[in-house]
């Protein structure tokens, strides 16, 4: 196991703060996949900027995926067409941003192809995001669940939709900021679609 790094949860289109921390701890990162799946977290939800303010998008998980299911075993539910809803929402919110069309073809497959496990979906998206942001991190995953990591900074429960991020975020241009002002710590795609290749400099 690596030392002097950090253990991260695996999120769906993670918030900006997540990548700020990834960039700070790289390359000594390990991703948690053995924990019991906690509900109502960024593991299966993300926040984007809509004309009406923050919009939460949630990836539904199968009904057996309760608190005693390991994260790596949580299955995505396709009982309703959530992929279509998410893609329509992303398109509607960011079509007029400077870089949505530049990245559109990279993200579209995630809303067309079915993934069985949430962890695979999130991992492949994270790999794409790191590539687009030009952040080089070898992805390592937990092999057993550990309640504590003496040699690692434990970030598994520090980033939550219910907790204000502990970092200051400088404002960058957002499509609907004239309506609601600058909204901080939205999904990384908000930064990417608005700032494009400058996103890494921002982080």
């Amino acid at each position: 196991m690596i030392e002097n790094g950090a253990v991260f949860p695996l999120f769906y289109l993670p918030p900006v703060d997540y990548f700020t921390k990834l960039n700070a701890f790289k390359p000594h990162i390990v991703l948690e996949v053995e924990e019991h799946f906690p509900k109502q977290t960024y593991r299966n939800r993300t926040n984007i900027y809509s004309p009406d303010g923050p919009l939460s998008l949630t990836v539904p998980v199968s009904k057996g995926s309760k608190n005693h299911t390991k994260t790596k075993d949580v299955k995505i539910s396709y009982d309703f067409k959530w992929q279509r809803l998410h893609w329509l929402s992303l398109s509607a919110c960011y079509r007029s941003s400077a870089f949505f069309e530049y990245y559109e073809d990279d993200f579209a497959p995630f809303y067309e192809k079915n993934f069985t496990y949430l962890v695979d979906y999130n991992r492949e998206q994270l790999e794409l995001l790191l590539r687009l942001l030009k952040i080089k991190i070898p992805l390592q995953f937990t092999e057993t669940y550990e309640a504590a990591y003496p040699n690692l900074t434990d970030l598994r429960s520090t980033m939550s939709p219910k907790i204000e991020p502990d970092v200051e975020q400088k404002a960058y241009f957002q499509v609907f900021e004239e309506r609601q002002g600058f909204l901080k710590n939205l999904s990384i795609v908000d930064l990417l679609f608005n700032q494009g290749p400058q996103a890494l400099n921002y982080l």
Side-chain angles (χ1 to χ4, degrees):
M1 183 63 73
I2 54 179
E3 296 190 5
N4 305 318
V7 56
F8 280 75
L10 197 52
F11 287 167
Y12 168 54
L13 296 179
V16 171
D17 182 38
Y18 183 93
F19 286 89
T20 303
K21 289 183 166 73
L22 271 183
N23 214 21
F25 282 102
K26 72 178 184 185
H28 306 298
I29 303 296
V30 62
L31 295 163
E32 175 64 84
V33 295
E34 297 287 340
E35 65 184 353
H36 284 158
F37 183 68
K39 298 195 314 194
Q40 298 185 329
T41 71
Y42 288 126
R43 286 161 183 80
N44 66 323
R45 71 170 57 185
T46 192
N47 293 322
I48 62 174
Y49 205 147
S50 81
D52 300 317
L55 174 64
S56 183
L57 301 176
T58 302
V59 177
V61 296
S62 296
K63 282 194 168 68
S65 302
K66 301 301 182 191
N67 288 341
H68 297 299
T69 305
K70 284 189 176 183
T71 292
K72 69 178 183 182
D73 296 326
V74 170
K75 292 184 177 181
I76 296 173
S77 170
Y78 293 95
D79 289 346
F80 78 95
K81 295 183 177 178
W82 65 269
Q83 286 171 297
R84 174 175 161 76
L85 174 66
H86 285 208
W87 187 244
L88 287 174
S89 299
L90 287 165
S91 299
C93 294
Y94 295 109
R95 176 68 61 190
S96 62
S97 67
F99 294 95
F100 178 80
E101 291 184 359
Y102 184 74
Y103 296 117
E104 183 176 7
D105 291 344
D106 292 307
F107 288 96
F110 289 96
Y111 301 94
E112 296 162 353
K113 174 186 169 185
N114 281 15
F115 288 74
T116 301
Y117 293 99
L118 179 67
V119 70
D120 293 330
Y121 188 68
N122 287 351
R123 176 183 52 78
E124 286 197 27
Q125 276 196 332
L126 179 60
E127 287 171 352
L128 169 65
L129 288 161
L130 291 172
R131 180 165 58 79
L132 296 179
L133 290 163
K134 295 183 168 52
I135 298 174
K136 290 187 176 166
I137 298 174
L139 295 186
Q140 300 182 66
F141 301 89
T142 54
E143 296 176 0
T144 57
Y145 175 74
E146 305 293 338
Y149 286 95
N151 299 315
L152 296 173
T153 301
D154 190 345
L155 299 174
R156 290 175 293 183
S157 58
T158 61
M159 292 175 277
S160 162
K162 302 168 186 171
I163 302 173
E164 276 284 306
D166 58 2
V167 291
E168 284 300 311
Q169 274 188 8
K170 285 195 309 184
Y172 57 86
F173 173 78
Q174 293 173 317
V175 175
F176 301 112
E177 66 181 12
E178 76 283 355
R179 303 189 190 198
Q180 304 272 345
F182 177 72
L183 297 182
K184 70 178 185 176
N185 210 37
L186 294 177
S187 168
I188 190 66
V189 296
D190 185 81
L191 177 65
L192 200 58
F193 293 154
N194 284 304
Q195 297 295 307
Q198 291 303 311
L200 180 58
N201 291 339
Y202 177 88
L203 295 173

